[in-house]
């Protein structure tokens, strides 16, 4: 057994439902927590980021136009497939985060549960966040949340699965599409999640996963005029980068979710703000008469 | 009182692309239901906005005199007597005995059996006699009765006939029946000497309820040859309102745009104050246009309004408020 | 502009006697009127170019003093006051606004140039309503869903188009949530904000809860950049909004931006035409078109375009332009020489680039003051600058469409996303189009309606955050958005 030579993997990007290599042709070595080689990952370039935005934009209309019930079903299906592939994710977390197997199992469980939690929000957030407004006049007036559009997500650097899921799920469950820059040093869970997404019912382009550096890709995404929002979660602790990206994001007034000073504890149940930060409120008036 | 026998509505549909719309019930329905809808809230907001116009000083003087000239001074009571009608007619000719410069009203409006009395009192004053006919106010009688009612009033000397439409027929969608009845009444307004009585068509908008219905019935009546379209009998609440009149003014404006012919508008019932009357005049001015600011094209069906107009007129002239004791009851 | 009529409306001017404009105004800091240390500037009546008053300019040090006063008031008084007590102050303010409504309306009209009927019937009543609405929230925050912790000091910068109303939109929710404010009114319209300062005194509002610093862009910049400010709220141009977003980047300041727009007002062939024409007029000529959510792009279905335009021209011919204090004036003065120049420039560009017609009703403009006639451009396409750039004046660009999809595509083909209008009698079409329009406020069969309970704000480059309604609280509480 031990004589067998491993088939070493070279992971690819996940863009528009396909798995392309990086346009640049570059890859980088991914190591485990102890520094041993694990695999090669594609090193996404600015052009990959651009392609991912195009894919995400194309997917936005149809995805946001689906019924909330359907998006809930799709997300729940992701949770199912993730649960199916539990051992693979446990291994990825063990390798990337250096956790014990039992701790990694808890992380995977938590990640599946997190997906289930967010899936359920798809058809409830509108009722919790929206509402009827009793204007002083003969008008029917209703406020409803709508997806912002294409959201660039800089995923957490350390929490490679639970943090990733907690970053992506609230963005897409409400109808946004995402361009995700995974953890640079810990991309294994992200590329495995991409395989899960590809084999579940998530339409191509809804989630696009780029492995690479947030410092390199971030500025291109932050200044991209067809990106509507930016989650800076992955810049936690990097105040200068975070500020520069926020400045660039002002070019088209992206909605920016700032990073906390340090990467948060993702085992805590997230707040509604993880979803509402990437929602717009639309208020529709109509007269009432005969 | 310069109302002339302007032949507003002869062959109204010729050459305007409207000739076929009354060819069948189905065609008429298609046409009326193809008219643009009226949004209630928007129409009421527009009327309310026009009502905020501030008409002061010289403009108010002009408006008050114009309003007096537009009044169809009305008595339509079961208790009407010849004496009452004679008094009313005298008041119409000379509303303010203290001021010979005060203009006369446009007409007196009475039941058919009082036409002769009114005519006798009015003589050649220029003030017209309008008679409500066609089983006013409900209109619930056989057509031949309504036509006889009309002819009776015309023979007695009525210059104007205020007919009511069959609201039941309209509300149940029998538009052609309503149309044909108006046509028939208009024929009954004819006189051998060619001095036909003018026909005002009363919709009783309070029973039609919706502005869409008001717009449709306005077009229906204009297509049938109405000289005037009129809101109400005064016997049903709500009677005239600003938004209903707005929709009717839009209709006559659009009808002229399409056919080149003008039709008059008469809100009736519930207009009691000068302030109200001036709001209507502002609306006429800004919606239908200044061409309609003439008793030939706009009337107020009212009884108590006239005295309020006179009081305001006196206030403007004397600089002090007047009181009802200084004006005649009728 | 009145059609010849048996009764031309005689002048009906509202009396100016109700207002008392002082020769000079200071800043309102810590509950007192104080001198400014910048270079004083003049505010003029745009209808006559008469100088109304000299107003202090707040220097950086003045802004600092105001922020400190606000901080102190927040920490010592307002932030720890029970909500029901804050509520009563806000109710007091609301009542005083109602009581002094005529004075506020006349002053607003004199300083801004807007018709008295609008300041009297729209601006001031809505201001009072806004304070009443948020007063009621002050002791009910735990039910609103954003927690009860205020942010601290809010720095608020407002525009000149609805000076007092924008003040209300900013101040009322901030105070209700327990924040204190430093507000900078626009340099061309500071007077009603300064009168509001007097009202705060009259209400015995604790010192420093509301501070008003007057000045132009530099004062605003100093306020926005001040490290003692926890929250920035801005209404104004998209360019300045972006600059503010850059200024606050990397800080913990929360921001709401309510910026420009280029709203499509879509008229389908089954529209209630007379009301649609009113909506078009209200959409673009209300407040001289100085409205961020103005319906400046008319998208009319080709099959009824001519009819709608005929009616629109006829309707426009009845608009009365002139003395803003005249109760019958529909179109007042352009707020400033600079804004007039901007409108003229874009209108001239429109004239050069558009193949269609530039049309205004016969309209005599007063000799003095800043005036621009209501104007319609037909034959405009999405490629034209007047269809893309916010003119912020009484200039309507008319485009046509053939199908609902084309209407939506054209409507959404803009970096803005503040508002939109739909005119149709078909319910299902309205709901579908409304859901596809990328705009924060969609008016169906109505336009330019505002209410304190109804959240207002844009998508995309029209800004972020909402003002009004329960959602408006989110901008001023720790548990709110971003």
């Amino acid at each position: 057994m031990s004589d067998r030579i491993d088939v070493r993997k070279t992971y690819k990007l996940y863009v528009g439902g396909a798995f392309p290599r990086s346009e640049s042709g570059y890859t980088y070595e991914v190591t485990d927590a102890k520094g041993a080689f694990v695999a090669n990952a594609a090193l996404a370039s600015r052009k990959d980021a651009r392609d991912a935005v195009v894919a995400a934009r194309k997917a936005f209309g149809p995805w946001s136009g689906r019924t909330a019930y359907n998006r809930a079903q799709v997300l729940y299906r992701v949770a199912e497939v993730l649960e199916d592939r539990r051992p693979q994710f446990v291994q990825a977390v063990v390798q990337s985060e250096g956790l014990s197997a039992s701790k990694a199992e808890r992380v995977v469980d938590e990640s599946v549960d997190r997906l289930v939690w967010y899936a359920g929000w798809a058809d409830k957030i509108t009722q919790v966040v929206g509402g009827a407004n009793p204007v002083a006049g003969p008008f029917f007036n209703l406020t409803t949340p709508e997806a912002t559009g294409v959201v660039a997500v800089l995923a957490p650097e350390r929490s490679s699965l639970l943090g990733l899921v907690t970053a992506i799920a609230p963005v897409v469950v409400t109808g946004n599409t995402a361009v995700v820059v995974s953890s640079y040093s810990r991309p294994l869970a992200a590329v495995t999640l991409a395989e899960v997404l590809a084999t579940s019912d998530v339409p191509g382009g809804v989630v696009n996963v780029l492995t690479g550096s947030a410092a390199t890709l971030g500025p291109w995404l932050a200044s991209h005029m067809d990106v509507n929002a930016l989650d800076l979660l992955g810049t936690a602790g990097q105040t200068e980068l975070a500020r520069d990206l926020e400045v660039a994001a002002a070019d088209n007034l992206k909605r920016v979710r700032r990073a906390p000073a340090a990467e948060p504890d993702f085992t805590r149940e997230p707040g509604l703000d993880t979803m509402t930060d990437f929602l717009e409120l639309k208020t529709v008036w109509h007269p009432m008469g005969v | 009182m310069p109302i002339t026998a302007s032949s507003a509505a002869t062959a109204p549909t010729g050459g305007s692309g409207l000739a076929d719309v009354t060819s069948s019930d189905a065609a008429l329905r298609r046409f009326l239901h193809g008219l643009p809808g009226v949004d209630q809230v928007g129409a009421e907001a527009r009327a309310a906005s026009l009502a905020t116009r501030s008409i002061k000083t010289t403009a108010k003087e002009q408006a008050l005199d114009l309003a007096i000239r537009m009044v169809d001074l009305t008595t339509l009571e079961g208790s009407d007597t010849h004496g009452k009608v004679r008094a009313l007619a005298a008041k119409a000719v000379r509303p303010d005995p203290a001021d010979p410069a005060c203009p006369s009203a446009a007409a007196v409006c009475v039941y058919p059996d009082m036409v002769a009395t009114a005519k006798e009192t009015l003589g050649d004053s220029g003030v017209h006699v309008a008679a409500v006919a066609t089983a006013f106010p409900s209109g619930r009688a056989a057509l031949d009765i309504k036509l006889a009612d009309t002819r009776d009033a015309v023979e007695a000397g009525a210059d104007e006939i205020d007919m009511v439409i069959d609201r039941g027929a309209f509300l149940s969608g029998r538009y052609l029946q309503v149309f044909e009845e108006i046509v028939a009444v208009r024929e009954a307004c004819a006189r051998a000497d060619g001095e036909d009585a003018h026909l005002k068509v009363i919709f009783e908008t309070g029973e039609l309820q919706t502005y869409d219905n008001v717009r449709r019935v306005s077009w229906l009546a204009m297509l049938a040859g109405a000289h005037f379209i009129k809101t109400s009998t005064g016997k049903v609440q709500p009677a005239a309102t600003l938004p209903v009149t707005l929709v009717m003014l839009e209709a006559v404006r659009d009808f002229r745009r399409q056919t080149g012919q003008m039709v008059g508008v008469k809100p009736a019932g519930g207009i009691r104050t000068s302030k109200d009357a001036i709001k209507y005049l502002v609306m006429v001015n800004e919606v239908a246009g200044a061409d309609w600011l003439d008793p030939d094209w706009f009337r107020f069906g009212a009884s108590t309004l006239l005295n309020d107009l006179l009081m305001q007129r006196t206030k403007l002239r004397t600089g002090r408020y007047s009181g009802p004791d200084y004006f005649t009851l009728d | 502009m009145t059609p010849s009529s048996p009764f031309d409306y005689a002048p009906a001017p509202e009396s100016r006697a109700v207002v008392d404009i002082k020769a000079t105004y200071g800043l309102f800091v810590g509950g007192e009127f104080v001198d400014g240390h910048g270079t004083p500037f003049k505010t003029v009546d745009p209808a006559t170019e008469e100088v109304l008053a000299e107003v202090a300019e707040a220097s950086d040090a003045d802004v600092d003093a105001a922020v400190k006063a606000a901080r102190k008031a927040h920490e010592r008084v307002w932030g720890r006051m029970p909500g029901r007590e804050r509520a009563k102050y806000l109710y007091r303010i609301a009542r005083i606004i109602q009581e002094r409504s005529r004075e506020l309306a006349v002053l607003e009209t004199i300083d801004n140039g807007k018709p008295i009927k609008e300041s009297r019937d729209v601006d001031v009543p809505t201001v009072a309503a806004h304070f009443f609405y948020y007063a009621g929230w002050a002791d009910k925050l735990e039910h609103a869903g954003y927690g009860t912790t205020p942010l601290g000091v809010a720095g608020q910068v407002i525009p000149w188009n609805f000076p007092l109303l924008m003040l209300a939109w900013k101040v009322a929710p901030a105070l209700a949530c327990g924040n204190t404010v430093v507000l900078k009114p626009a340099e061309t319209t500071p007077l009603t904000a300064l009168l509001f300062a007097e009202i705060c005194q009259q209400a015995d509002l604790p010192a420093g809860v509301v501070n008003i610093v007057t000045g132009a862009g530099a004062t605003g910049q100093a306020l926005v950049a001040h490290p003692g400010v926890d929250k920035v709220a801005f209404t104004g141009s998209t360019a300045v909004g972006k600059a503010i977003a850059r200024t606050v980047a990397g800080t913990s300041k929360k921001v709401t931006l309510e910026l420009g727009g280029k709203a499509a007002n879509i008229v389908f062939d089954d529209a209630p035409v007379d009301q649609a024409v009113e909506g078009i007029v209200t959409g673009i000529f209300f407040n001289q078109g100085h409205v961020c959510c103005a319906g400046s792009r008319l998208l009319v279905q080709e099959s009824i375009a001519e009819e709608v335009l005929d009616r629109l021209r006829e309707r426009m011919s009845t608009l009365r332009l002139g003395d803003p204090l005249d109760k019958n004036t529909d179109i007042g003065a352009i707020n400033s020489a600079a804004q007039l120049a901007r409108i003229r420039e874009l209108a001239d560009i429109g004239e050069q680039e558009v193949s269609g017609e530039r049309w205004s009703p016969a309209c005599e403009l007063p000799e003095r003051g800043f005036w621009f006639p209501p104007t319609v451009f037909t034959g405009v396409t999405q490629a034209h600058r007047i269809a893309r750039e916010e003119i912020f004046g009484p200039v309507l660009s008319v485009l046509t469409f053939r199908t609902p999809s084309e209407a939506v595509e054209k409507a959404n083909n803009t970096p803005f996303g503040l508002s939109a209008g739909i005119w149709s009698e078909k319910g299902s079409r309205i709901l579908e189009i409304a859901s596809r329009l990328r705009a924060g406020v969609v008016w169906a069969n109505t336009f330019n309606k505002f209410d304190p309970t109804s959240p207002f704000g844009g998508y995309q480059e029209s800004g972020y955050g909402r003002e009004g309604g329960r959602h408006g609280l989110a901008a001023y509480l720790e548990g709110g958005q971003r």
Side-chain angles (χ1 to χ4, degrees):
Chain A
M1 280 289 284
S2 58
D3 296 342
R4 186 179 177 273
I5 306 298
D6 287 351
V7 178
R8 286 188 168 172
K9 280 173 82 173
T10 296
Y11 290 114
K12 297 199 273 190
L13 308 174
Y14 181 54
V15 175
F19 288 94
R21 298 180 193 285
S22 168
E23 165 278 337
S24 67
Y26 288 113
T27 59
Y28 69 102
E29 285 191 2
V30 179
T31 58
D32 67 16
K34 297 190 181 98
F37 176 83
V38 177
N40 287 308
L43 183 66
S45 70
R46 65 179 167 88
K47 290 186 180 173
D48 295 318
R50 175 202 62 190
D51 293 348
V53 171
V54 171
R57 175 59 62 198
K58 191 174 164 203
F60 174 64
W63 179 243
S64 60
R66 290 200 180 196
T67 63
Y69 177 63
N70 181 258
R71 283 198 305 272
Q73 295 271 299
V74 169
L75 239 73
Y76 185 74
R77 174 76 184 142
V78 174
E80 284 180 332
V81 179
L82 206 146
E83 173 102 4
D84 253 4
R85 296 216 195 184
R86 208 163 162 276
Q88 196 181 346
F89 280 101
V90 170
Q91 192 194 0
V93 171
V94 167
Q95 285 182 320
S96 291
E97 303 184 21
L99 299 181
S100 68
S102 63
K103 279 187 175 163
E105 278 171 11
R106 281 208 296 280
V107 168
V108 175
D109 291 346
E110 196 64 51
S111 301
V112 173
D113 292 357
R114 184 64 40 86
L115 275 167
V116 171
W117 188 76
Y118 273 119
W121 270 114
D123 51 7
K124 295 162 194 73
I125 188 79
T126 301
Q127 290 171 313
V128 172
V129 174
N133 308 306
V135 298
F139 294 93
F140 180 77
N141 180 297
L142 197 69
T143 297
T144 46
E146 283 187 352
T148 294
V150 174
V151 183
V153 176
L154 306 185
E157 192 56 39
R158 299 169 60 81
S159 182
S160 65
L161 179 64
L162 181 56
L164 179 74
V165 165
T166 306
I168 295 174
V171 169
V172 297
V173 71
T174 56
N176 295 290
T177 55
V179 175
V180 183
V181 179
S182 77
S183 165
Y184 179 80
S185 58
R186 300 174 173 184
L188 295 179
V191 292
T192 310
L193 182 68
E195 287 168 6
V196 166
L197 296 172
T199 53
S200 58
D201 300 326
V202 181
V206 170
V207 179
N208 304 275
V209 180
L210 305 175
T211 46
S213 147
T216 309
L217 298 172
W220 293 104
L221 290 167
S223 66
H224 197 303
M225 298 297 274
D226 203 31
V227 171
N228 301 99
L230 180 62
D231 188 341
L232 290 174
L233 193 50
T235 65
Q238 305 177 66
T239 49
E240 209 162 306
L241 175 63
R243 192 197 56 229
D244 290 349
L245 294 179
E246 193 178 343
V247 168
D251 284 355
N252 69 337
L253 291 169
K254 287 178 188 65
R255 286 76 176 114
V256 177
R257 188 171 161 82
R258 290 182 182 134
E263 205 169 294
D265 173 10
F266 288 106
T267 60
R268 292 173 54 185
E269 185 172 284
L272 278 190
D273 57 331
T274 56
M275 289 175 283
T276 56
D277 279 356
F278 304 116
L279 289 173
E280 306 295 323
L281 290 166
K282 176 184 281 178
T283 300
V284 179
W285 293 66
H286 197 281
M288 294 191 294
V290 293
Chain B
M1 185 54 249
I3 187 163
T4 55
S6 48
S7 54
T10 45
T13 58
S16 56
L18 294 173
D20 294 336
V21 305
T22 56
S23 61
S24 69
D25 221 350
L28 186 54
R29 159 177 291 273
R30 266 198 306 280
F31 174 77
L32 295 177
H33 285 257
L35 292 167
V38 184
D39 183 81
Q40 180 191 337
V41 173
E44 290 175 356
R46 168 76 166 135
S49 158
L50 285 166
T52 67
R53 289 286 193 223
S54 178
I55 303 302
K56 300 289 184 206
T57 61
T58 53
K60 190 170 181 183
E61 271 173 29
Q62 290 168 316
L64 291 174
D65 277 11
L66 182 59
I68 291 168
R69 291 167 54 217
M70 289 172 163
V71 169
D72 280 5
L73 195 58
T74 302
T75 183
L76 296 168
E77 301 301 330
S79 57
D80 285 347
T81 60
H82 296 288
K84 162 81 181 173
V85 169
R86 271 194 289 270
L88 192 79
K91 169 116 182 168
V93 174
R94 177 152 297 186
D96 184 354
D99 178 9
C102 180
S104 304
V108 294
C109 184
V110 294
Y111 273 111
D113 63 329
M114 292 291 169
V115 169
T117 305
K119 194 77 192 163
E120 191 184 298
T121 311
L122 292 169
D124 58 1
S125 65
V127 176
H128 283 197
V129 178
V132 295
T134 69
F136 182 95
S138 72
R140 297 252 66 86
L143 179 59
D144 56 344
I145 307 286
K146 295 182 189 178
L147 296 177
D149 196 19
T150 306
R151 285 190 206 101
D152 189 38
V154 172
E155 271 166 33
D159 304 289
E160 303 169 5
I161 296 295
D162 289 20
M163 72 169 283
V164 291
I165 64 156
D166 183 339
R167 283 89 76 186
F170 182 87
L171 288 171
S172 60
R174 286 175 279 130
Y175 297 136
L176 197 61
Q177 181 186 332
V178 180
F179 173 86
E180 283 169 348
E181 204 167 288
I182 297 170
V183 171
V185 173
R186 170 141 176 200
E187 280 164 10
C189 289
R191 281 201 180 85
D193 60 5
E195 292 290 308
D196 299 355
H198 270 201
L199 180 63
K200 304 196 197 96
V201 179
I202 304 171
F203 301 147
E204 202 66 296
T205 53
E207 291 182 347
L208 302 186
Q209 300 241 336
T210 70
Y211 298 122
D212 287 327
N213 276 344
V214 173
R215 174 166 287 176
R216 287 171 190 150
V217 77
S218 296
W219 277 85
L220 186 156
M222 293 188 293
L223 290 167
H227 297 97
F228 256 82
I229 53 178
K230 176 175 169 184
T231 60
S232 321
T233 61
K235 305 295 185 191
V236 168
Q237 289 304 320
T241 67
L242 282 167
V244 158
T245 308
L246 170 77
V247 172
M248 289 166 62
L249 286 165
E250 288 167 351
V252 298
R253 175 199 66 194
D254 294 347
F255 190 75
R256 178 161 81 163
R257 195 199 300 270
Q258 193 150 350
T259 65
Q261 285 164 9
M262 282 174 71
V263 174
V265 176
K266 178 179 172 184
I271 305 167
R272 295 191 179 85
T273 65
S274 301
K275 203 173 171 182
D276 283 347
I278 290 172
K279 288 175 185 172
Y280 279 91
L281 294 181
V282 165
M283 186 178 276
V284 172
N285 188 37
E286 298 201 32
V287 176
D291 288 353
W292 267 268
L293 282 175
D294 185 288
D296 277 1
W297 304 113
F298 195 78
R299 296 280 183 84
F300 292 106
S303 43
T304 55
L305 171 64
L306 183 59
N307 265 6
D308 193 66
L309 290 167
L310 296 172
M311 280 207 285
Q312 294 301 320
R313 190 174 180 278
T314 304
K315 153 72 174 60
L316 275 184
R317 286 156 37 84
T318 63
R320 64 178 181 226
Y321 292 104
S322 193
D325 287 353
Y326 296 87
F327 298 93
T328 55
L329 282 175
D330 50 19
Chain C
M1 289 169 85
T2 328
S4 71
S5 159
F7 77 114
D8 285 324
Y9 306 158
E14 181 65 62
S15 168
R16 297 172 70 121
V18 68
V19 299
D20 170 27
I21 302 178
K22 299 172 181 59
T24 60
Y25 284 89
L27 314 171
F28 185 64
V29 175
E32 303 287 336
F33 284 94
V34 300
D35 292 338
H37 296 87
T39 312
F41 59 96
K42 293 176 169 60
T43 183
V44 302
D45 178 344
T48 61
E49 299 179 51
E50 166 204 357
V51 173
L52 295 169
E54 191 171 88
V55 181
E57 185 199 29
S59 66
D60 288 5
D62 295 328
V63 169
D64 185 55
V67 172
K68 286 193 170 117
R71 172 67 56 197
K72 190 171 142 193
H74 178 257
E75 287 174 356
R76 298 196 185 167
V77 186
W78 198 249
R80 54 176 67 176
M81 186 183 286
R84 65 173 188 278
E85 306 299 327
R86 289 201 306 271
K88 284 187 278 187
Y89 280 111
L90 289 170
Y91 280 122
R92 269 191 198 172
I93 290 172
R95 260 288 183 260
I96 298 172
I97 287 166
Q98 285 183 324
E99 281 158 9
R100 299 179 73 169
S101 61
R102 186 58 55 94
E103 183 184 356
L104 287 162
V106 171
L107 186 61
E108 193 80 310
T109 284
I110 291 173
D111 204 19
N112 170 279
K114 67 174 63 200
I116 185 71
K117 78 168 184 188
E118 289 178 6
S119 51
R120 178 196 66 198
D121 296 346
V122 181
D123 295 54
V124 175
T126 313
V127 168
H130 221 83
F131 276 98
F132 271 112
Y133 177 76
Y134 279 108
W137 268 123
D139 55 358
K140 299 167 191 69
L141 295 176
E142 65 269 33
H143 306 293
Y146 309 111
T148 58
T149 313
L151 302 175
V153 175
Q156 308 180 316
V157 178
I158 58 170
W160 46 260
N161 58 341
F162 295 92
L164 195 64
L165 184 56
M166 292 301 101
L167 176 149
W169 281 25
K170 298 282 179 286
V171 172
L175 265 49
C177 293
N179 305 277
T180 55
V181 307
V182 179
L183 177 117
K184 188 198 86 70
E187 66 271 29
T188 60
T189 54
L191 296 185
T192 46
L194 293 163
L195 182 52
F196 178 78
E198 277 180 37
I199 289 172
C200 292
Q201 289 180 325
Q202 192 182 347
D204 290 330
L205 189 71
V209 173
V210 168
N211 304 274
I212 292 173
V213 291
T214 43
T219 305
Q221 173 62 23
L223 177 58
V224 168
H226 195 288
V229 164
D230 302 299
K231 157 78 191 179
V232 174
F234 172 75
T235 296
S237 74
T238 289
V240 174
K242 289 179 181 179
I244 290 173
R246 290 183 192 108
T247 301
V248 302
T251 70
S252 59
K253 288 176 190 175
K254 292 199 178 199
V255 188
T256 40
L257 300 173
E258 205 275 88
L259 309 175
K262 193 74 194 178
N265 201 358
I266 306 170
V267 180
F268 287 99
D269 60 5
D270 66 343
V273 173
D274 288 298
Q275 287 72 50
V277 167
E278 279 312 303
I280 296 165
V281 168
T282 304
I284 188 62
F285 302 124
F286 173 64
N287 205 38
Q288 297 72 248
H290 301 328
V291 185
C292 47
C293 51
S296 51
R297 278 187 299 153
L298 172 62
L299 293 180
V300 57
Q301 196 154 11
E302 256 181 50
S303 51
I304 56 157
E306 277 316 305
E307 187 192 343
V308 168
L309 289 173
D310 283 349
R311 287 166 185 266
L312 175 63
R313 291 189 195 100
E314 190 173 296
R315 174 67 179 88
M316 284 171 67
S317 301
T318 69
L319 292 171
R320 303 170 64 88
L321 178 148
D323 179 7
L325 278 174
D326 190 306
K327 292 173 207 162
N328 293 322
T329 291
D330 300 315
I331 310 268
I334 301 302
N335 179 250
S336 66
Q339 186 56 28
L340 179 59
R342 159 92 179 150
I343 297 167
R344 281 182 177 155
E345 183 197 343
L346 276 165
D348 289 347
I349 288 167
E351 197 167 326
Q352 286 157 25
E353 66 179 358
V354 170
S355 61
E357 179 200 25
R358 171 181 179 163
W359 186 87
S360 294
C363 177
E364 212 174 290
L365 301 183
E367 281 181 15
R368 291 187 64 76
F370 314 127
W371 303 93
F372 197 88
T375 301
V376 176
F377 281 98
T378 50
V380 182
T381 73
Q382 279 293 105
H384 294 133
R385 278 182 67 186
I386 55 168
R388 306 201 66 77
E389 292 181 33
E390 186 176 41
I391 299 174
F392 223 64
V395 181
L396 179 68
S397 298
V398 182
L399 298 83
T400 58
F401 67 91
R402 295 158 298 176
T403 63
S405 292
E406 188 183 353
V408 170
E409 280 164 22
K410 285 184 170 172
N412 286 342
N413 180 215
T414 166
F416 295 114
L418 188 51
S419 65
I422 307 169
W423 297 87
S424 168
E425 286 274 277
K426 187 172 177 181
S428 60
R429 173 186 294 154
I430 289 169
L431 295 176
E432 171 64 13
I433 301 295
S435 80
R436 285 165 64 188
L437 290 170
R438 301 287 292 164
V441 184
V442 177
W443 285 294
N445 291 326
T446 187
F447 210 94
N448 271 348
K449 287 275 181 281
F450 308 95
D451 190 275
T453 68
S454 180
F456 184 92
Y459 285 30
Q460 304 201 127
E461 293 197 16
S462 291
Y464 37 72
R466 291 293 178 269
E467 296 183 299
R470 178 182 70 85
H471 299 91
L473 299 169
Y476 292 99
L477 290 167
E478 284 292 351
Q481 271 175 280
R482 278 195 295 275

